[in-house]
């Protein structure tokens, strides 16, 4: 926000230096980013008087001028080539050392510094300037001749009225009230414990005509336009604005256009209320209709661009067509022109959300939309409208039609917030009295009434402060006005870090195990596009207000985002991928699973493990090979054993709806915990991966639920006996089932069961296979005899042959 210091002083009497004011504003939270002294560009330029003009002795087109730039000093001799220079003229003189803003003899117009120069043998001590050289006009045909009453010796900046200072203030998005000179004056007045004055203006009202006979306003969309006002100014003459207005607008960073538009911009920068002026005669049926746009409608804005509307934009229309985009920009079909005689002036409050969405979608950013997006004061509309209407009348010779149309069906009222004095002092570490706090808040126009006791206030927050919503916001205002530098740095704080709970320790243990076993952790976004999400699950959770179409659904599986990481790594030359991720997955709740943080949805913490490419580095002593399902299975089983889950069971199945083939289910204590498998080729093809990918996804909540603290016992001091046993069974019988039964039948003394041979052939019969196991038998109590071992083996053989209809092949 660019503020003119001269303009600011219209509302508040400031004797402080500009640097002190800048420091005060910064301490109030309105950081002054830069200070620009606008008149310094004319340092070294003065009003001068040409006393005498003689012909140059060595050049036909040059003149020797005697120029007085000070009442007390001697006249300067200046060589001048302008054809219109003459004795008795008041002119602009640049003295030695001054920087001329534009060199009209330089193609690029670069500035240059004046020096004492010898021109055709005659010394010259300055320069008489043209408009173009000074950047105050385009005339370069001759020197700029000033009015006869111009005072000799007056600095040019003072003469032109540009001895102003501009402050660039970084207004945070939560302070829309400070996007105006009055808003800044209000805060400064509170800081200096003084009063600010709102503008006083003359009224140019024609009471013989009422606006109700000239125009109608119909607001059909009161959600996006809670308030709309209109007034009319007649007999307007559109012309150039007076110098004072142009100077203030230039200082504030706006280009003057004409007296009508400049008046609306002036009031916007004065009050913070954007306004728009329509040519009344170009409004069909002299009507204003505020409604949503038609889908596909084409609209040409003031900048000449044609926009295709989506139907969500708020449009200002006349009786037949759209004439402005509400809160953003007017249309070319009703703009003010030199022929305009009657003006309909709009002042409204538009929904910040609506304006922001429209401006963002159309790619338009204006001073009006900037303010509406942040939230202007809905209750300043009439005051700003009347101020602008009378200013237009004053500048154009027109009159304001009596009456004002004000559509305001649901009034926006101040918020009432309770404030405790004790809470203020506890938060700030101060000893402020109730009166001090009351004075601070009342200085920024927050109404205060007593609560149940003297230490409780009921605060009425004005509607120009939408950022104040609760007690802590009021406390912040007190701190700001009291001065952060005045708050003693005597408080101390202590942060107590609680020890990680059991769940956190278990997650850390799992992460540590994965890292220690060569897996690289990845972190991926849990938001993905809907088509991708539907590849990995049916119960998709859609985001209500997504940032983009690429981030409109929550991932149903870690595989959906981990595959993107795998593809990215392959595309960048990686060939060994061993990844894991700990993150959340989401799905809509079904009849079987209704639990979740939010009703109707399920959020789970999972761990995903991805293996792809080579399993080992190329080496002279070891052949390189690609990863397979057994590598992933062994890794998962090692992880489960590493965190104390020895009671895990693998279930082999093929599911047509699964993400993987060669799928292995994982159960812990008869509870499904996840799966292991090879990712289906059709999924890999969609993400453009040409290599096999093996993936496991486990439910961390299940893993941590059954997580057990590992216990250790010493080795047996008695010898271990190894016996081999082989069976012929049907191919449908799994090795895992046989292993479980062997351990169960043999009891605690079976310390290990290892499959060492698997054979299939015609000699065994159709649908049969041979499996051979190595059994380790040991006791902690004694050395087992052969007879005891034989009994144990016999029991195992009987159990296996009976349970699985197996045939003993050898022992």
């Amino acid at each position: 926000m660019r503020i003119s210091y001269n303009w600011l002083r219209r509302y508040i009497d400031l004797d402080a230096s500009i640097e002190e004011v800048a420091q005060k504003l910064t301490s109030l939270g309105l950081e002054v980013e830069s200070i620009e002294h606008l008149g310094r560009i004319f340092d070294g330029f003065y009003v001068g008087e040409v006393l005498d003009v003689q012909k140059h002795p060595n050049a036909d087109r040059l003149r020797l001028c005697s120029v007085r730039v000070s009442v007390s000093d001697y006249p300067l001799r200046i060589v001048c080539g302008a054809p219109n220079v003459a004795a008795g003229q008041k002119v602009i003189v640049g003295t030695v050392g001054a920087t001329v803003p534009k060199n009209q003899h330089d193609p690029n117009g670069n500035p240059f510094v004046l020096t004492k120069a010898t021109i055709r043998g005659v010394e010259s001590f300055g320069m008489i300037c043209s408009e173009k050289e000074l950047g105050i006009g385009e005339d370069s045909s001759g020197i700029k001749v000033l009015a006869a009453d111009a005072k000799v010796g007056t600095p040019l900046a003072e003469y032109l009225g540009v001895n102003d200072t501009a402050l660039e203030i970084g207004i945070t998005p939560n302070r829309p009230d400070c996007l105006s000179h009055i808003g800044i004056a209000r805060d400064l007045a509170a800081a200096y414990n003084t009063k600010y004055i709102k503008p006083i203006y003359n009224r140019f009202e024609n009471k013989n005509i009422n606006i109700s006979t000239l125009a109608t306003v119909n607001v059909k969309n009161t959600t996006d336009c809670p308030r709309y006002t209109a007034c009319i100014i007649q007999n307007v003459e559109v012309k150039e604005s007076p110098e004072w207005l142009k100077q203030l607008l230039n200082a504030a960073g706006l280009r003057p256009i004409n007296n009508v538009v400049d008046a609306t911009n002036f009031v916007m920068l004065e009050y913070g209320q954007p306004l728009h002026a329509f040519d009344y005669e170009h409004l069909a049926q002299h009507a204003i209709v505020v409604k949503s746009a038609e889908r596909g409608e084409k609209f040409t804005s003031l900048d000449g661009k044609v926009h295709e509307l989506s139907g969500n934009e708020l449009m200002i229309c006349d009786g037949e067509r759209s004439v402005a985009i509400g809160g953003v920009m007017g249309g070319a079909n009703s703009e003010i022109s030199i022929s305009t005689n009657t003006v309909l002036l709009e002042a409204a409050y538009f929904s910040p959300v609506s304006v922001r969405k429209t401006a963002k979608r159309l790619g338009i950013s204006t001073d009006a939309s900037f303010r509406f997006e942040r939230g202007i004061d809905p209750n300043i509309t009439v005051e700003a409208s009347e101020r602008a209407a009378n200013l237009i009348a004053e500048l154009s010779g027109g009159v304001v039609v009596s009456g004002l149309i004000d559509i305001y069906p649901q009034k926006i009222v101040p918020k009432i917030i309770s404030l405790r004095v004790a809470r203020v002092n506890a938060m700030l570490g101060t000893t402020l009295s109730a009166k001090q706090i009351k004075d601070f808040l009342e200085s920024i126009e927050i109404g205060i009434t007593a609560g149940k006791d003297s230490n409780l206030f009921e605060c009425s927050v004005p509607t120009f402060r939408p950022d104040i919503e609760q007690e802590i916001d009021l406390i912040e205002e007190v701190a700001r006005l009291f001065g952060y530098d005045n708050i003693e740095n005597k408080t101390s704080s202590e942060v107590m870090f609680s020890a990680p709970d059991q769940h956190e320790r278990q997650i850390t243990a799992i992460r540590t195990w994965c890292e220690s076993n060569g897996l690289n952790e990845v972190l991926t976004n849990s938001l993905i596009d809907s088509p991708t999400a539907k590849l990995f699950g049916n119960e998709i959770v859609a985001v209500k207000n997504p940032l983009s179409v690429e981030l409109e659904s929550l991932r149903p599986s870690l595989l959906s985002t981990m595959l993107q990481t795998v593809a990215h790594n392959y595309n960048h030359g990686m060939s060994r991928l061993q990844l894991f991720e700990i993150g959340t997955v989401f799905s809509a709740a079904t009849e079987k699973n209704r639990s979740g943080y939010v009703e109707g949805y399920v959020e789970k913490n999972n761990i995903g493990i991805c293996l792809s490419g080579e399993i080992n580095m190329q080496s002279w002593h070891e052949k390189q090979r690609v990863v397979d399902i057994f590598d992933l299975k062994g890794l998962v089983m090692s992880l489960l054993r590493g965190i104390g889950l020895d009671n895990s069971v693998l279930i082999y199945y093929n599911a047509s709806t699964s993400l993987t083939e060669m799928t292995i289910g994982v159960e812990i204590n008869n509870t499904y915990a996840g799966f292991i498998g090879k990712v289906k080729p059709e999924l890999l093809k969609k993400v453009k991966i040409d290599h096999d990918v093996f993936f496991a996804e486990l439910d961390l909540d299940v893993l941590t639920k059954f997580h057990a603290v590992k216990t250790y016992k010493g080795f047996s001091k008695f010898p271990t006996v190894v016996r081999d046993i082989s069976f012929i069974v049907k191919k449908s019988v799994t090795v895992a089932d046989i292993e479980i039964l062997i351990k169960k039948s043999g009891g605690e003394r079976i310390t290990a069961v290892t499959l060492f041979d698997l054979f299939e052939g015609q000699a065994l019969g159709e649908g049969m296979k041979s499996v051979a196991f190595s059994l380790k038998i040991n006791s902690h109590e004694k050395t087992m005899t052969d007879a005891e071992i034989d009994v144990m083996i016999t029991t195992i053989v009987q159990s296996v042959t009976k349970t699985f209809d197996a045939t003993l092949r050898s022992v």
Side-chain angles (χ1 to χ4, degrees), residues 556 558 583-587 593 597 602-606 672-673 697 699-701:
L558 293 176
T584 50
V585 296
F586 307 84
S587 63
N593 190 353
Y597 299 108
V602 176
E603 177 180 348
K604 295 196 299 183
N605 297 309
N606 283 6
Y672 179 78
E697 186 163 0
D699 189 333
L700 282 176
D701 294 331

Side-chain angles (χ1 to χ4, degrees), residues 412-545:
I412 300 173
V413 298
K415 296 185 288 286
I416 304 300
I417 303 173
S418 298
L419 178 66
R420 297 163 290 176
V421 173
R423 182 63 174 165
V424 173
N425 287 318
M427 286 293 296
L428 303 182
T430 55
T431 57
L432 296 172
S433 66
K435 184 180 183 306
Q436 286 177 297
I437 295 172
K438 181 173 181 288
D439 290 343
F440 283 139
L441 295 178
E442 287 182 336
S443 69
I444 53 173
E445 300 183 20
I446 294 177
I448 303 294
T449 57
K452 296 179 181 179
D453 56 58
S454 59
N455 291 318
L456 179 67
F457 294 138
E458 295 297 327
C459 303
S460 176
V461 180
T463 50
F464 62 74
R465 289 300 301 272
D467 58 308
I468 301 178
E469 298 181 340
Q470 50 189 332
E471 184 183 39
I472 193 65
D473 298 323
L474 291 170
I475 296 173
E476 182 182 0
E477 292 302 299
V478 173
R480 192 170 65 88
L481 296 170
F482 177 60
Y484 295 115
D485 292 339
N486 296 325
I487 299 176
E488 291 186 54
N489 188 17
K490 64 180 182 180
T491 58
S492 62
S493 61
E494 183 178 359
V495 179
M496 299 296 293
F497 293 98
S498 58
D501 59 21
Q502 183 180 357
H503 179 76
E504 292 172 334
R505 290 195 301 270
Q506 292 166 348
I507 298 297
T508 300
I510 292 171
R511 177 178 280 110
T512 302
W513 189 94
C514 291
E515 292 170 348
S516 301
N517 284 270
L519 298 179
N520 296 305
E521 184 172 13
V522 298
L523 296 173
T524 59
N525 198 335
S526 59
L527 292 169
I528 58 177
D529 60 281
S530 291
T532 301
K534 291 175 181 177
L535 297 174
F536 296 89
N538 297 322
E539 304 296 334
I540 303 303
V541 179
V543 178
K544 187 175 182 181
N545 186 22

